[in-house]
Structure formats: structure tokens, C-alpha cells
Amino acid sequence: MSDKVRRRDLLLGAGVVGAAALPIAGPAAAQAPAAKPPAAVHPAPAGYMFLKPSEQAFVEALVDHMIPADELTPSGTDIGVAVFIDRACSGSWGRGDRLYMQGPFKAGTANQGYQLPLTPAEFYQQGIAASNAYCRKTYGKAFDRITAAEKEAFLKGLQASKIELAGVPGREFFDMVYQTVMEGLFADPIYGGNRDMVGWRMVGFPGVSANNAENIKKYNDGMPFKAEPLGIADMS
Amino acid sequence: MAPRKLPPVDIVIVGMGWAGGIMAKELGPTGLKIAVLERGGPRSTQDDFNIPQIRDELRFHQRTGLMMDTAKDTLTVRNKLSEEALPMRRLGSFLPGEGVGGSGVHWNGVNWRWADQDLKIRSHYEQRYGKAYIPADMPLRDWAVGYAELEPFYEKFEYTTGVSGKAGNLKGKLQPGGNPYEGARAKDYPMPPLTPSLASNMFTKAATEVGFHPFPRPASQASQPWVNRDGQQLGQCQYCGFCERFGCESNSKGSPHITVIPVALKNQNVDLRTYSWVQKVLLDSTGKKATGVLYVNVKTGEELEQPADLVILSGYQLNNVHLLLLSGIGKPYDPKTREGIVGANYCYQVQGGVTLFFEDRAFNPFISTGSLGAIMDDFHYNQDFDRSKIGTIGGATLAMGGPHGRPINYHPTPPGTPQWGSEFKRATAKWYQGAVNIAATGSVMPHADNCLTLDPTYKNRFGQPLLRMTFDFHDNDYKVIGQATDAAGVIAKAMNPKIIAPGASRRSGWSVVPYQTTHNTGGAIMGAQPGASVVNKFGQSWDVPNVFVTSAAVFPHNSAYNPTGPVGALAFFAADAIKNRYLKKPGMLV
């Protein structure tokens, strides 16, 4: 493995354990001796760190339903969104970093926001189990085995608060899941999703763009600014 | 175990953001011993805002990497006095900062002068519309300080942060292209306006055609390389699109850590202590004199007592009010009896607007900066705008032209578009470049029920009661933003987009969940009389005269303007009074 690849792995690892570890990658990388660039430019993080097999199946089915393969992008799983969610759950966000976790825990109004005694990772797991239980009862199979139309009906029902899950607030679960899918589609590739920056290419976002002091003058006539996007790893 | 008592200092400043930095810079040259206690860590452009890591939407936007950590300290929230307040378990509606520079490192940089339209608001409405026009449950107050008195201090702040803009009123003479409703300024802005975007230009043209008076939004992003009055350098803005919620890697956003703080720290007598979390202001047996502060070194857990002759609270608005309540300074507001004053007049702002979708042009939303855009004051500082027709007090600005294209949060689609699947992707790809928003921001007037008190149940990491926020929008706020959103629709039509998506005119109440604005104000309001205010115009406590408060906590109401301009000007104004009057003869300044 070349130093370049090792450095990228380090960055990917930093994304997993959270924000605090990121700056450490900088000096370590800077001290690494120069080496030949590797053939594989975007090593894909393989395998799951956190989700159990039934949860993996749920998440893969979900992200492939929400981000199907078409002329714009490969499927959600193929662009790393399932891996992104796995890493998010196993990392600092999933473990409840910055979440006030003191009781008493009470159900509040919608305007009072999140009030469950669960970390996001725990909520993900509880929500998947309750979703699968609902799907088995209603459609006879777990979420990953039901038809696309059934998936659509289930997700829309959750979103509209028309479906109640046992022991889990369905609408809040949907909101969290949806947020992580959008993050996996559009976050910097160092976190495992948005592989090859396909989410950014889809809309035309140039990523970690550089100097626009000239571009702002040049591109104020309605013409799109187009550039090969750059991610954090490309500039590290 | 009793806290370890440190050798006394002359002045303790709590919080090292804009207000604390200004205080430390202005008071440093007195040679007095000054300790600045900041609960967060150090911050530098080089180590904290470096490329490429600062341009990480997930880390800094989604996960609020530069903001206060709600696991350690938060507040409880409720809409009504009859509800039980519950903890804001994660950040959402607003984002107070933490660490050296405070919220001044992640602000958008919009830098206004609040003039007599705000500072003399009650007098104006009584005169123009009659005393009965102001609702009985709206404790609207004049500010105890007028624009003429503050004007030189606005200039000081503008020539400290750097502001790119176009004067509308120079020494009473209206200037074409500027804001015709602004207060007269002695000097123009330090720098010419930022380079306008397509959206700024379109808004300027359309709003002018409809009969309004748009102008470039005053921006604390340097439109050119610039050196401030203290010799601190700002680089030219790079329009990178990572401004609000991020620190600036090119030192072009006027921020405390590159302006006032390094200047303050050149004074050997100014001692900045990071990771120092102040828990309360200590009072003597009379309760009328502060003897210092109690704080915790959060790296070791050690409790320390710092004796001081003068205590200046320069934290974020919410934290200043919290400290006053925890310390027993002033009479706490009781919303049931409407007696007391500390915690009263908590205000916020209200958002509205419309989104426009064009098929034939690209806005390049990622080529942008925090304050970029054109804005208009025709429904805000324009006092000819007759409020009696809609029955409102206050007003709203309308603006278009910023602020970013970071795609986790910015991928607008027309109403009715599916939110996932191929159709969602196609719509996102189609409209990302062609969408633009006219943003309406409305003032929020005080209401007798909206207040900050101590929570009876929930505690912070040290076991102290959390601050409890009771807040909701009221009829006046909804009417203000409804009118502005309707007007935004009229301007939008003049631009002839393919689709105009109306802003949701929500009346479902304030929610802590979606981000709205970090413009929280009030709770330690200034006034001309004790009893009806917490501090005088210099921020000096009526009850404990060797305690001063600087921040938006002293604002008696909230404007449609961003608050940092008057936060900075009032800090300079108070520092001047402390340096030239208080320190020579400690006692009440008014």
C-alpha cells in the first residue's frame, strides 16, 4: 500500500471517529514521504462496522429505493450511502455526541424537538426493528423484501404520520433517516457516501472550491460555472 | 471542597467573542490587571479554519462543529407558560458559538447600524399612531440611547471589522444607490460593496422597477485587501460559499480572533484563560457589590474563585441572562405576575419569503459569501410606510443574492416534487442552478409571555439549573412577515420566473427544530429607569453597579436587522464610559 493510500485511509478513519480526530490527519500526512500515486484513486471503504445483517438489508433497500440507479447516479448502495449511514451510526453522531441526555425524558410537543432517551444509533436500530415488524404484519415480509410500491407506501405513510410504529415515533424516525440519506448523497466523500462525488456532479456543485473572486465577476450573466469537483481528500 | 482563591485582578471579562474582545482591547491600555474567562478553547485561522477541512458541510453545518455543545449546557423551551419546558437536546433554531471569537467566527457578517427607528421605537409609535396603538401585552420600550450618541461608536466598530457597503446618508445628504432610510453617517463604509451576483443584480433591477429602494447589503467581508485602524489585516473575500457556520480561511470575514483579540492580547496585563467556565458572579453580603466570579477549569474540573473589582459579562446573550439569574443580580421576571425584569423582553426574528425557479439561467449559488446580496428597507426603516393599514409595529427587510449552495442543505425543488427517487433527482439536477430565494426577515416585538427564567427541573453539566425559554410568535410578528412575503411575491413576478413558490405562512408557532436565526435578544434590557430595565445605557447593572452587561441581551426589542452592529457599537460605547468615567470614579454612571 502506498503512502498516498494510507493517508486516504487515515482520513476515512478520521471521518468515522468524528470531527475531533480530523486535524490529526493533517500533520501526519504532511510528514509522510512522497510516494508514487496509487492506481486506485477512490478506495471504497468495504464492509460494515456497526449495522447488523438485518439492519444492513433494511438500509441498503432504503437507500436504493430513495436513490435508484438511473441516468444521473448509480444506486444509493453503490455510491456508499449505506456505508455512510453505518459510519454515522458507529461514529460520534450515532453515539450521541452533543446530545443532551439527562432526564427526565418526556414526550413534548413537536415544536420542542427530539426528546427520546436514545442515541441516534439506538434510534436507528429501534426504528429499523419496528419498521420491519410493521412491514411483516402488513405486507408479510421485512422492508427489504417488499415491492417498490409497498416501500413507497410505507415511507410516505411514515412521513405523513399516517403509520404508527410500535414503540417508536414513526415521523421522527423517518426525518432522521431522510436526513442521513441526504447527507450520504451530498456530504464530502471522506465520510464514505457521495462516492466519486456523484451527488455533487448531479447538481453541479464544485465541492471544496477555491478562489472565486474572479468567478463572481465572470459568472453573473446566467451561465453556469462548471468545474471538475474537488473533495477534501483531493486537496489534502 | 472550597474553590481555590486566586490573587485578585481589577477586571474580569466573561466571554471572548466580539463584546469581550472589544472590552479587552479598549481596557487593555489602562494597564489594569484583566482576566478574560472563555469557556471554550482557543481558535486560530491556521489550525481551525484551514483548507480543505473547514469546507466540510457535514462537520460544520450538520454537526454544528463550531457551536455550543448542548450535551454540556443547553436550555429548556416551550411555546406557552402553560406548557412544561423540555430540554433543547440538540441545536436547531439558533446556534450560539463557543470558544475564542464566539459567534463572531461563524457569523454571516451582515453589519447594520440600528438607528432611532429602533432606539426610539415606543416614542415614535405613540407619536405617529397614538398610545392606544401599542398592545397592552407588548412591553415596548425606548432604548435609553439615541443614534446621534452611538454614531461614532458604530464607526469604530465598522472600522474594526471592516464593512463593504454603500452609504445611503452621508452627513444628512442622501447618496444614490445606498439605503435612503439609514441614519446619517459621518463617514462612508470602509470598503466599496462586494461584487454583486446575478441574483443581486436581478433583485436591484426588479425592486427598483416596482418602486422600492434596494441597496447592497452591508457586509463584513472585505471586498478588497484592507487594514483596520489597529493595523490588523483582512484579505479579499474569495466568495467560497462557506461563510455562515464556518470560520474564514482567508481572513476576509471580520472576526474577533483576527481583529480585536490579538490587539487586546498585546497588552501583557490582559490574561486570556480558555476552558474557563464561569458559573456565577459572586456578591458581598449586601448583594449590591460583586466581589468576583466563580469558575471551573473544565480541563481539570478545579473550581476557582477569581476576585475582581469590576465584572463585565460579555458572553452570548442567553449566557449573560443565565449568569445574572444564577447570580441573583436584579429581580427575576415572573411572567405570571409580570413583575421583575431580568429575563423579560426576550425577542427573536421571524422568517418568510418566496423561492423563484428559472429555466433559462444559472445562479451559481456556490459562488457566494455570507452577506452578499441586495436588500431593501422600504417596509422597515421607511417610516412613511403606513403600519396602521395592517396594524403592525416593526417591519421586515427583503433581500436576494446569497448565501450558499452547499447541497446537503441546498437543493431546492418546486412544490409538489417527490422528495426521493428518480423524479427527485431529476428535479434537483434541473433546479439547483436555477432557483433563487427572496428572503424576508421580520422584527419581533416583546410580549409579556416571552421570557427567560430558570428551569425548575433540568440541570447543566455542573448541576446548575438550565435557562428556560418561553417563546412564541404573536399576532404582530405574523402580520409583519405576512405583509413582507406578499411584497416579495410582487417583486418576484417582476422577474418573470417559470415558477414562484410561496413561502409557507406558518402560524403553527415557533419550533426549536429547524434553523431560523441566531439573533436572540433581550433578557437584560437597557432603560432610563431602574425597575423597568436591568441595566442603564452603558450596560451597567442598576442593582450591582460594578457589573456590566454587553451583548444583545441589553436590546429591549428585536429589529429586522442583524444584531452584531449594535452589539459592537454598544461594547465600544460602554468601554469608553468605563475607561473614561467609571474607572476614575467607580459608581453609577447615570
Side-chain angles (χ1 to χ4, degrees):
Chain A
M1 185 192 279
S2 76
D3 286 310
K4 176 92 172 166
V5 171
R6 219 175 292 142
R7 183 162 63 113
R8 287 184 186 285
D9 287 346
L10 230 178
L11 280 167
L12 287 164
V16 171
V17 296
L22 268 174
I24 297 166
Q31 284 157 19
K36 270 195 292 182
V41 181
H42 293 286
Y48 288 94
M49 301 173 86
F50 178 81
L51 298 171
K52 300 173 190 181
S54 61
E55 296 161 354
Q56 295 164 17
F58 177 94
V59 168
E60 290 186 5
L62 177 95
V63 302
D64 288 347
H65 182 81
M66 286 194 166
I67 308 171
D70 54 25
E71 75 282 5
L72 287 166
T73 73
S75 73
T77 302
D78 285 344
I79 63 168
V81 180
V83 166
F84 171 90
I85 290 169
D86 178 73
R87 302 299 192 261
C89 284
S90 68
S92 53
W93 174 79
R95 291 196 306 260
D97 186 36
R98 292 174 172 265
L99 194 62
Y100 180 83
M101 288 298 274
Q102 292 184 39
F105 291 91
K106 297 180 181 183
T109 66
N111 284 347
Q112 288 174 306
Y114 188 79
Q115 295 296 337
L116 297 176
L118 301 172
T119 64
E122 289 166 344
F123 190 20
Y124 234 108
Q125 294 187 303
Q126 300 292 329
I128 291 173
S131 296
N132 277 335
Y134 178 92
C135 291
R136 277 194 199 96
K137 201 170 142 201
T138 311
Y139 306 112
K141 291 171 193 157
F143 177 80
D144 60 292
R145 309 276 300 278
I146 61 180
T147 66
E150 287 165 344
K151 284 181 186 137
E152 188 71 8
F154 172 69
L155 293 171
K156 283 209 167 126
L158 273 189
Q159 186 188 26
S161 306
K162 284 183 183 151
I163 288 177
E164 289 297 322
L165 299 179
V168 175
R171 170 67 199 256
E172 274 192 277
F173 175 62
F174 173 86
D175 286 346
M176 176 180 67
V177 165
Y178 186 75
Q179 178 200 313
T180 53
V181 172
M182 290 301 112
E183 289 169 354
L185 175 61
F186 290 121
D188 192 282
I190 57 169
Y191 295 99
N194 188 18
R195 199 168 290 165
D196 294 322
M197 296 173 275
V198 290
W200 292 354
R201 290 175 204 279
M202 178 172 90
V203 295
F205 179 64
V208 187
S209 61
N211 181 343
N212 284 323
E214 290 306 312
N215 292 332
I216 181 112
K217 293 178 205 154
K218 238 164 106 182
Y219 290 91
N220 70 359
D221 60 353
M223 294 305 288
F225 171 82
K226 285 183 178 162
E228 177 67 15
L230 292 173
I232 289 172
D234 299 309
M235 292 186 69
S236 298
Chain B
M1 205 173 74
R4 180 158 65 91
K5 198 164 177 173
L6 297 167
V9 296
D10 298 299
I11 303 172
V12 157
I13 297 172
V14 182
M16 195 43 139
W18 271 128
I22 289 167
M23 279 289 170
K25 174 179 102 73
E26 293 295 293
L27 299 176
T30 60
L32 294 169
K33 270 183 95 77
I34 300 172
V36 189
L37 305 177
E38 164 56 48
R39 75 189 200 179
R43 290 261 169 76
S44 72
T45 299
Q46 205 179 348
D47 253 6
D48 295 285
F49 313 139
N50 60 305
I51 286 186
Q53 281 142 330
I54 191 62
R55 294 193 182 156
D56 185 341
E57 184 183 10
L58 189 79
R59 178 177 169 189
F60 295 108
H61 191 129
Q62 300 299 100
R63 310 286 186 251
T64 60
L66 292 174
M67 313 304 173
M68 84 184 252
D69 182 350
T70 43
K72 295 172 182 164
D73 188 25
T74 182
L75 45 152
T76 62
V77 294
R78 58 179 176 177
N79 285 131
K80 292 185 194 67
L81 295 167
S82 57
E83 289 174 4
E84 183 178 7
L86 294 176
M88 176 177 82
R89 294 190 180 274
R90 58 164 64 104
L91 291 174
S93 178
F94 47 84
L95 303 168
E98 194 173 274
V100 170
S103 303
V105 304
H106 65 76
W107 68 318
N108 248 335
V110 183
N111 200 334
W112 295 105
R113 293 180 170 201
W114 295 25
D116 288 337
Q117 288 95 326
D118 278 310
L119 308 178
K120 295 181 178 167
I121 191 165
R122 183 165 193 112
S123 305
H124 168 73
Y125 278 89
E126 283 189 354
Q127 239 166 44
R128 165 103 192 240
Y129 300 99
K131 279 193 176 179
Y133 190 73
I134 301 166
D137 54 8
M138 184 189 287
L140 193 67
R141 301 194 198 286
D142 287 351
W143 280 44
V145 62
Y147 177 71
E149 204 175 2
L150 269 188
E151 201 279 337
F153 299 95
Y154 279 120
E155 185 188 303
K156 271 193 168 185
F157 187 55
E158 289 170 354
Y159 277 79
T160 296
T161 64
V163 191
S164 306
K166 174 87 186 77
N169 183 338
L170 268 179
K171 298 177 181 160
K173 210 174 153 197
L174 293 188
Q175 307 292 312
N179 181 7
Y181 309 113
E182 73 173 1
R185 49 178 77 236
K187 268 180 85 82
D188 203 340
Y189 286 106
M191 286 168 277
L194 294 167
T195 307
S197 60
L198 172 63
S200 322
N201 288 336
M202 284 171 57
F203 185 79
T204 302
K205 182 166 177 280
T208 305
E209 279 168 10
V210 178
F212 301 126
H213 302 84
F215 56 95
R217 183 153 40 193
S220 274
Q221 284 87 11
S223 57
Q224 58 193 39
W226 186 73
V227 180
N228 82 2
R229 286 178 176 170
D230 300 310
Q232 298 299 112
Q233 298 184 14
L234 268 67
Q236 184 189 16
C237 178
Q238 297 302 317
Y239 304 84
C240 73
F242 289 78
C243 203
E244 186 178 42
R245 300 194 188 210
F246 300 82
C248 180
E249 97 289 342
S250 61
N251 283 347
S252 51
K253 177 163 67 173
S255 304
H257 76 289
I258 55 164
T259 55
V260 290
I261 294 171
V263 178
L265 295 179
K266 283 181 190 160
N267 299 286
Q268 298 300 311
N269 51 312
V270 176
D271 175 18
L272 169 60
R273 300 177 203 159
T274 51
Y275 301 112
S276 299
W277 188 304
V278 174
Q279 294 185 315
K280 81 198 286 195
V281 179
L282 301 168
L283 304 179
D284 73 0
S285 57
T286 67
K288 290 177 179 160
K289 189 181 170 209
T291 58
V293 298
L294 179 71
Y295 76 98
V296 175
N297 176 339
V298 296
K299 289 189 295 185
T300 62
E302 188 182 20
E303 284 194 0
L304 299 145
E305 181 184 338
Q306 177 58 67
D309 292 333
L310 175 61
V311 175
I312 301 171
L313 302 182
S314 293
Y316 190 72
Q317 171 261 348
L318 295 166
N319 296 336
N320 287 341
V321 178
H322 196 201
L323 269 179
L324 290 175
L325 290 169
L326 291 171
S327 311
I329 296 174
K331 191 176 177 190
Y333 180 65
D334 179 346
K336 291 205 177 94
T337 61
R338 298 186 179 177
E339 284 170 7
I341 190 68
V342 181
N345 287 49
Y346 170 72
C347 291
Y348 199 44
Q349 286 174 336
V350 60
Q351 315 289 323
V354 295
T355 304
L356 292 66
F357 294 88
F358 293 86
E359 280 182 317
D360 59 350
R361 68 199 81 175
F363 288 95
N364 299 310
F366 41 82
I367 301 179
S368 187
T369 188
S371 310
L372 190 66
I375 191 162
M376 55 176 256
D377 236 1
D378 296 77
F379 304 124
H380 184 227
Y381 266 28
N382 173 15
Q383 295 197 328
D384 290 337
F385 169 51
D386 186 356
R387 269 75 168 177
S388 66
K389 288 183 187 154
I390 43 169
T392 56
I393 293 173
T397 58
L398 292 174
M400 185 167 119
H404 75 85
R406 304 185 300 267
I408 300 173
N409 287 282
Y410 186 81
H411 51 264
T413 52
T417 305
Q419 285 182 272
W420 59 83
S422 284
E423 254 191 90
F424 159 76
K425 284 161 61 182
R426 284 179 201 122
T428 302
K430 174 172 179 180
W431 296 111
Y432 175 81
Q433 275 281 23
V436 72
N437 178 254
I438 300 178
T441 299
S443 61
V444 163
M445 293 301 126
H447 187 281
D449 289 350
N450 288 342
C451 61
L452 303 169
T453 49
L454 289 178
D455 190 85
T457 308
Y458 293 93
K459 313 276 192 235
N460 70 8
R461 66 187 303 197
F462 303 112
Q464 295 184 292
L466 296 183
L467 191 66
R468 174 175 61 181
M469 176 184 289
T470 307
F471 179 76
D472 211 343
F473 299 116
H474 288 275
D475 199 45
N476 185 65
D477 314 318
Y478 287 120
K479 281 197 249 172
V480 162
I481 205 64
Q483 181 274 333
T485 297
D486 291 346
V490 173
I491 300 169
K493 261 194 194 140
M495 290 185 248
N496 199 26
K498 176 84 177 170
I499 300 165
I500 299 175
S505 93
R506 284 160 31 100
R507 282 215 171 212
S508 54
W510 171 68
S511 166
V512 77
V513 180
Y515 182 73
Q516 289 144 73
T517 175
T518 309
H519 299 163
N520 315 80
T521 64
I525 67 171
M526 67 159 79
Q529 304 290 334
S533 57
V534 178
V535 296
N536 64 29
K537 65 180 175 180
F538 301 111
Q540 183 178 31
S541 162
W542 293 112
D543 300 276
V544 184
N546 67 334
V547 170
F548 284 72
V549 182
T550 65
S551 70
V554 307
F555 295 8
H557 75 277
N558 210 342
S559 173
Y561 282 166
N562 310 50
T564 306
V567 167
L570 285 167
F572 274 112
F573 180 65
D576 181 72
I578 292 169
K579 189 161 73 176
N580 296 313
R581 294 179 52 206
Y582 179 88
L583 292 174
K584 288 178 182 150
K585 192 175 170 236
M588 287 306 302
L589 289 172
V590 174

